[in-house]
């Protein structure tokens, strides 16, 4: 972005990414101002954020909570509600850049609406690209906006590609920490508890993405996300386990040269880069200490122990709405696991069943994508 956008709307400001975004923006407050913040239900934290950042308006999805917040602030801040409220704020003239850190498929509609109103996008909601990557990237071109990834792996790839001819990239190597269950033997998977699966060694994140890290579905989603962001076919996107999470991803070029982006695992770095891209700004935080680190290790992911990774490659090979079917089944299954309704290993089984049974629309429009999502959710719920 040659001219930095000034006015920012953060969708999902009370989540893990949203809170990190506000911390980054707090340190760059002469460059950015917050005009809108949104939450599902967390009005206690939103209240603090309003007092600190003075947005023009906020969205609270829950109507009762929205009314409670409005009575706290009176006329000093506009309180909108519901999914329509999210679509309303991304259309407004006092927004230049939308940070989308909503969890899951629910992030798709606001992203599309924002692009159609010529807002730049900093995207943490990877599901947007998983379910509708082709449509969204073509809209980005049509409306001449920037869509910059916040996901640390994709930020790393973008940083490796800056100054390069993208056609000379021959392979993307996505690194994966391996998640909380990397060293858990497969025969213990039947009794994995929610608490074990939520105990990520390197990254502190929200519940949905942490379970996705435990199944390696997160990496599968990221393969698809990379395919749409950088235009390489999935056959040329590899995954390597790198438990230290220091190399955030790599790009190999046609001459065999490989560039990597390194840093401590801290989401503030990719967030700040997405906001100031292609500029860099100073940032407080810990730095990589190589003598202390001593070694970095790499190995191939175990696709038998973690079938979700292979399911993502399979869904991409099927094309059409298969990635949307896979994503919907995963969202329902992860929620059911978090609610202790199904065991951990049932997650990939449910996705596999959904991919086998749900109708794939081969060249989908947005409506097909919504249908596939809706029908898959209904179907998977009948299997629980
Ligand atoms: Mg990531």
């Amino acid at each position: 972005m040659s001219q930095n956008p000034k006015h920012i709307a953060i969708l999902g400001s009370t989540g893990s990414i949203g809170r990190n975004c506000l911390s980054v923006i707090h340190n760059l407050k002469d460059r950015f101002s917050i005009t809108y913040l949104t939450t599902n239900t967390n009005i206690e934290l939103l209240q603090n954020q309003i007092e600190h950042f003075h947005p023009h308006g906020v969205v609270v999805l829950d109507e009762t909570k929205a009314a409670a917040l409005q009575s706290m602030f009176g006329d000093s801040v506009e309180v909108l509600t519901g999914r329509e409220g999210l679509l309303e704020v991304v259309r407004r003239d006092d927004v230049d850049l939308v940070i989308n850190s909503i969890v899951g498929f629910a992030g798709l509609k606001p992203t599309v609406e924002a692009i159609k109103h010529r807002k730049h996008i900093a995207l943490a909601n990877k599901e947007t690209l998983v379910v509708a990557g082709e449509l969204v990237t073509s809209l980005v071109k049509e409306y001449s906006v920037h869509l910059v990834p916040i996901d640390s792996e994709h930020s790393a790839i973008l940083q490796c590609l800056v100054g390069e001819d993208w056609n000379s990239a021959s392979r993307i190597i996505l690194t994966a920490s391996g998640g909380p269950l990397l060293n858990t033997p497969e025969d213990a998977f039947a009794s994995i508890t929610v608490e074990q699966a939520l105990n990520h060694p390197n990254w502190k994140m929200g519940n949905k993405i942490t379970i996705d890290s435990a199944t390696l579905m997160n990496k599968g989603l990221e393969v698809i996300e990379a395919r749409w962001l950088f235009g390489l076919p999935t056959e040329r996107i590899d995954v390597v386990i790198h438990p230290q999470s220091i190399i955030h991803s790599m790009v190999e070029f046609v001459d065999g040269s490989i560039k990597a982006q390194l840093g401590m695992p801290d989401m503030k770095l990719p967030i700040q880069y997405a906001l100031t891209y292609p500029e860099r700004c100073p940032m407080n935080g810990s730095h990589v200490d190589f003598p202390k680190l001593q070694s970095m290790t790499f190995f191939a992911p175990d696709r038998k122990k973690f079938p979700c990774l292979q399911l993502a490659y399979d869904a991409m090979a099927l094309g059409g709405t298969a990635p949307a079917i896979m994503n919907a089944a995963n969202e329902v299954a992860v929620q059911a696991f978090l609610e202790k309704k199904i065991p951990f290993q049932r997650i990939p089984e449910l996705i596999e069943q959904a991919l086998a049974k749900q109708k794939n629309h081969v060249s989908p429009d947005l409506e097909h994508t919504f249908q596939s999502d809706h029908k898959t959710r209904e179907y998977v719920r009948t299997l629980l």
Side-chain angles (χ1 to χ4, degrees):
M1 273 165 237
S2 54
Q3 283 179 319
N4 279 303
K6 282 273 188 290
H7 301 297
I8 297 184
I10 304 181
L11 309 185
S13 67
T14 57
S16 170
I17 292 286
R19 296 194 305 270
N20 274 314
C21 286
L22 286 171
S23 154
V24 166
I25 290 165
H26 173 78
N27 291 321
L28 296 171
K29 49 178 174 277
D30 49 338
R31 299 174 65 135
F32 302 111
S33 76
I34 297 289
T35 46
Y36 297 95
L37 297 171
T38 86
T39 188
N40 287 334
T41 57
N42 190 349
I43 58 168
E44 293 76 20
L45 180 54
L46 189 62
Q47 182 189 348
N48 291 340
Q49 294 179 343
I50 293 168
E51 284 161 359
H52 198 98
F53 290 94
H54 309 290
H56 300 170
V58 297
V59 182
V60 181
L61 258 68
D62 181 282
E63 281 185 29
T64 313
K65 300 251 182 179
L69 191 77
Q70 186 76 77
S71 67
M72 272 184 233
F73 285 94
D75 292 339
S76 65
V77 66
E78 182 186 9
V79 181
L80 297 101
T81 186
R83 299 261 160 225
E84 183 50 42
L86 294 176
L87 303 181
E88 166 68 25
V89 297
V90 302
R91 294 182 195 123
R92 298 252 174 116
D93 290 337
D94 53 354
V95 174
D96 302 307
L97 170 79
V98 173
I99 298 177
N100 187 343
S101 54
I102 288 175
V103 177
F105 184 86
L108 174 61
K109 250 188 191 172
T111 308
V112 169
E113 192 73 3
I115 296 169
K116 286 184 173 173
H117 287 78
R118 300 188 188 280
K119 313 300 183 187
H120 298 300
I121 311 286
L123 190 69
N125 174 259
K126 65 190 81 183
E127 293 88 346
T128 286
L129 290 174
V130 170
V131 302
E134 193 163 10
L135 285 159
V136 169
T137 48
S138 71
L139 285 174
V140 163
K141 285 200 191 90
E142 185 183 340
Y143 289 89
S144 304
V145 298
H146 295 279
L147 185 149
V148 183
I150 283 180
D151 213 346
S152 60
E153 294 79 358
H154 304 76
S155 176
I157 295 161
L158 181 63
Q159 292 178 59
C160 292
L161 285 170
V162 164
E164 301 283 355
D165 174 357
W166 286 24
N167 293 317
S168 67
S170 55
R171 186 165 65 117
I172 285 172
I173 303 146
L174 281 173
T175 53
S177 68
L181 306 178
L182 177 64
N183 299 315
T184 307
E186 196 179 345
D187 55 19
F189 269 34
S191 57
I192 292 293
T193 63
V194 171
E195 292 70 26
Q196 282 172 296
L198 284 177
N199 187 23
H200 199 288
N202 301 354
W203 298 95
K204 180 84 195 78
M205 306 178 290
N207 286 353
K208 197 266 178 179
I209 188 172
T210 307
I211 300 302
D212 284 346
S213 293
T215 62
L216 286 199
M217 177 52 89
N218 183 51
K219 213 47 58 179
L221 300 175
E222 290 181 353
V223 167
I224 302 175
E225 184 185 10
R227 187 261 169 268
W228 295 116
L229 282 170
F230 306 110
L232 257 73
T234 45
E235 306 86 79
R236 292 203 269 142
I237 304 173
D238 290 345
V239 172
V240 65
I241 305 289
H242 165 46
Q244 296 81 15
S245 294
I246 297 296
I247 294 181
H248 299 303
S249 278
M250 301 180 257
V251 177
E252 186 176 78
F253 295 90
V254 287
D255 58 358
S257 178
I258 294 176
K259 286 167 84 174
Q261 186 264 338
L262 288 74
M264 295 303 284
D266 181 350
M267 284 308 297
K268 290 191 196 72
L269 201 155
I271 288 168
Q272 177 168 296
Y273 190 73
L275 297 182
T276 64
Y277 170 82
E279 267 184 79
R280 290 188 186 275
C281 292
M283 201 178 94
N284 294 327
S286 54
H287 296 259
V288 178
D289 181 340
F290 285 98
K292 196 174 157 200
L293 178 67
Q294 290 191 334
S295 66
M296 293 195 285
T297 53
F298 306 92
F299 48 94
D302 183 340
R303 293 182 190 222
K304 190 176 150 283
K305 184 171 149 188
F306 299 104
C308 285
L309 179 60
Q310 188 57 45
L311 286 170
Y313 277 98
D314 294 348
M316 261 318 272
L318 289 168
T321 53
I325 292 166
M326 174 200 75
N327 180 72
N330 183 56
E331 287 190 26
V332 175
V334 168
Q335 189 58 38
F337 172 70
L338 284 167
E339 291 168 2
K340 304 186 178 177
K341 289 179 183 160
I342 58 167
F344 184 76
Q345 283 165 309
R346 190 89 180 102
I347 297 172
E349 288 170 8
L350 288 168
I351 297 166
E352 212 175 336
Q353 279 173 274
L355 279 170
K357 288 280 158 51
Q358 290 298 294
K359 177 179 158 51
N360 185 8
H361 297 271
V362 182
S363 43
D365 58 18
L366 212 48
E367 197 43 52
H368 292 133
T369 306
F370 280 97
Q371 273 175 26
S372 281
D373 177 78
H374 181 73
K375 289 197 169 144
T376 304
R377 282 168 199 270
E378 281 188 336
Y379 170 69
V380 175
R381 285 192 194 107
T382 66
L383 303 176
L384 296 178

